[in-house]
Amino acid sequence: MKKFNYREQNIAVIGLGYVGLPLAVEFSKKRKVIAFDINESRIRQLKKGIDKTKEVELQDLGSRNLIYTFDKELLSKCKIFIITVPTPINKKKEPDLSYLKKASRIVGNSLTKDSLVIYESTVYPGATEEICIPILEKSSNLSFNKDFFCGYSPERINPGDSTRKLSNIVKIVSGSNDRIAMEVDKLYSEIIQAGTFKVSSIKIAEAAK
């Protein structure tokens, strides 16, 4: 059976904060990117060239390969999804995974055969497989590691650091099987000049954060 080619596919970045926006901008230098956020005012600002996080150069916000949107329907144009939503701590000092669950449902509704979902949000080891993937399966009616695949690559951006940007910080990558780990590694290698470090499982990548 011929293996699916991820090299030519569009990318959707879900969540356009200090992690997601630089990621979307960097990938837009190589591919077409759907930059999605449920915050409509954030999308309107970005379309006007305004970034309140100040993580991206003004001239890079207007890439022709970059589409800013809060329209969930546009996500169906993509095969690769990168989820970068926040996971804040609640009053009980526990991780609030509500944003992550909502993003997983949104992406799950757009999954098709051979889709690849990569999580960057900070989570505890096991969260991707125990919480996120079941949501993807339920929302998509597809089977994990058969119809769609997952990866995890912890964000390592230091907000406000003007010298150590996304492209010059080594990226840890992983996948739900060996082939997918290799595909995730290839994907990030397109934009990470400092190189990537592939680990043997999603849980190890989660723990590395």
Side-chain angles (χ1 to χ4, degrees):
M1 183 180 295
K2 187 177 180 182
K3 293 180 180 178
F4 186 79
N5 182 11
Y6 290 98
R7 190 170 292 277
E8 306 297 327
Q9 302 302 319
N10 297 343
I11 297 172
V13 176
I14 316 299
L16 301 178
Y18 73 88
V19 175
L21 182 61
L23 196 65
V25 167
E26 284 302 313
F27 272 120
S28 74
K29 297 173 183 178
K30 303 290 183 179
R31 307 185 185 208
K32 291 190 179 300
V33 175
I34 302 294
F36 176 88
D37 201 294
I38 60 172
N39 187 333
E40 295 185 20
S41 62
R42 172 71 167 154
I43 294 299
R44 292 192 182 97
Q45 287 172 356
L46 291 172
K47 285 182 175 181
K48 294 177 181 177
I50 301 170
D51 171 31
K52 290 187 175 180
T53 68
K54 299 181 179 178
E55 289 294 323
V56 174
E57 297 294 332
L58 183 61
Q59 64 269 22
D60 291 333
L61 287 174
S63 169
R64 289 182 295 177
N65 282 338
L66 197 53
I67 297 175
Y68 300 108
T69 187
F70 50 82
D71 183 358
K72 300 172 187 176
E73 298 299 320
L74 293 184
L75 297 178
S76 62
K77 298 179 180 291
C78 302
K79 279 289 190 180
I80 301 172
F81 303 84
I82 304 178
I83 294 177
T84 66
V85 296
T87 49
I89 301 297
N90 63 23
K91 293 180 180 179
K92 296 180 180 180
K93 305 296 184 182
E94 298 170 338
D96 179 359
L97 302 181
S98 59
Y99 299 102
L100 196 59
K101 292 176 181 178
K102 184 171 184 176
S104 295
R105 284 191 290 270
I106 289 171
V107 168
N109 288 329
S110 298
L111 295 186
T112 54
K113 177 71 173 173
D114 292 312
S115 289
L116 171 59
V117 184
I118 302 168
Y119 288 88
E120 288 211 11
S121 301
T122 301
V123 295
Y124 57 83
T128 300
E129 291 159 301
E130 296 165 12
I131 294 176
C132 300
I133 288 172
I135 293 173
L136 293 175
E137 286 190 305
K138 183 177 180 179
S139 300
S140 66
N141 289 319
L142 298 174
S143 297
F144 171 57
N145 257 357
K146 178 183 176 184
D147 300 318
F148 73 92
F149 306 92
C150 285
Y152 185 84
S153 180
E155 60 89 1
R156 302 187 69 202
I157 290 175
N158 184 24
D161 191 332
S162 59
T163 56
R164 287 173 58 78
K165 292 289 191 178
L166 172 68
S167 63
N168 52 28
I169 300 174
V170 174
K171 201 84 164 73
I172 296 169
V173 297
S174 65
S176 52
N177 60 41
D178 290 342
R179 180 177 72 88
I180 294 303
M182 188 176 299
E183 294 292 349
V184 175
D185 188 49
K186 289 178 183 175
L187 178 69
Y188 281 101
S189 293
E190 293 181 15
I191 63 168
I192 305 298
Q193 297 173 7
T196 58
F197 187 86
K198 182 159 59 73
V199 297
S200 59
S201 73
I202 286 175
K203 282 185 180 178
I204 290 175
E206 290 169 325
K209 179 66 173 86

